Amino acid sequence: MFLKILAPLVVLIIALIQSIYSDQIDKKKSLKYTVNGLLIFSFIIGLFILNKDDNDSKELSLKQKNNIDSLRIENSLLSIKLDSLHSTIENGIQNRGKQEIEMLKKINELNEKLEPFVSIALRKYPTKDKNSALNKLAQDIAITKKLANHLP
């Protein structure tokens, strides 16, 4: 920052010296050498500033490139994780569908096995609904079982 201020300041000093001592610069060699030395010094400072700015911009560009590369890698990893998650969810949905189909098959199988008992219960207790008739039939079976166990 200091050099960025120094370069224009040296140019300003040169301009002031030339405007104030313009007729004396040609007569005094030391003043002429001083002005030329200041011009060269200002030029060197300018080159140094340009070089430093160029190096800083390259360094910043490299950091930004590294950050972009890092973000691309993270993005790729997240994309892979997301794909894996989607696959897991899809497999879960498919498995759930298969489990539901299996459960429905088993329920239908149980309903088929239970149907004769429902028919008997509804014939024996026609005024009751299906669940009440089945409960009443289960009680009758339990009582019959107890009586059968007490027979000699």
Side-chain angles (χ1 to χ4, degrees):
M1 181 67 179
F2 172 72
L3 293 177
K4 288 183 179 183
I5 295 172
L6 184 62
L9 190 62
V10 170
V11 172
L12 177 66
I13 291 169
I14 292 169
L16 288 173
I17 289 172
Q18 283 185 338
S19 67
I20 295 172
Y21 301 106
S22 61
D23 40 334
Q24 294 178 7
I25 288 177
D26 291 333
K27 295 175 188 171
K28 291 186 177 181
K29 286 189 180 190
S30 63
L31 194 55
K32 190 174 190 176
Y33 290 136
T34 303
V35 169
N36 287 336
L38 287 172
L39 278 171
I40 292 170
F41 180 68
S42 175
F43 179 72
I44 291 171
I45 290 173
L47 288 177
F48 183 78
I49 290 170
L50 285 174
N51 187 35
K52 185 170 178 356
D53 284 349
D54 188 47
N55 288 340
D56 289 348
S57 68
K58 285 179 184 176
E59 186 178 321
L60 180 63
S61 177
L62 183 63
K63 283 181 183 177
Q64 288 175 340
K65 183 186 175 299
N66 289 340
N67 285 343
I68 288 170
D69 290 344
S70 176
L71 288 173
R72 282 185 181 146
I73 291 169
E74 285 183 41
N75 190 26
S76 295
L77 292 174
L78 287 174
S79 179
I80 290 168
K81 287 180 181 179
L82 184 62
D83 290 344
S84 174
L85 182 61
H86 279 277
S87 175
T88 303
I89 289 172
E90 285 178 19
N91 288 340
I93 289 171
Q94 289 174 356
N95 288 341
R96 184 176 177 191
K98 288 176 185 176
Q99 289 173 350
E100 286 177 357
I101 290 170
E102 287 298 316
M103 283 176 48
L104 287 173
K105 284 180 184 178
K106 287 181 181 182
I107 289 171
N108 286 336
E109 189 178 306
L110 288 173
N111 281 336
E112 286 175 13
K113 289 180 180 179
L114 191 60
E115 186 57 40
F117 295 101
V118 171
S119 296
I120 293 169
L122 288 175
R123 267 186 278 139
K124 191 167 181 180
Y125 304 104
T127 58
K128 305 266 184 200
D129 64 273
K130 187 185 342 180
N131 287 336
S132 298
L134 281 170
N135 285 333
K136 197 79 165 134
L137 182 62
Q139 288 172 356
D140 289 349
I141 292 172
I143 292 170
T144 306
K145 199 174 182 182
K146 280 184 187 177
L147 289 175
N149 285 336
H150 291 312
L151 289 176

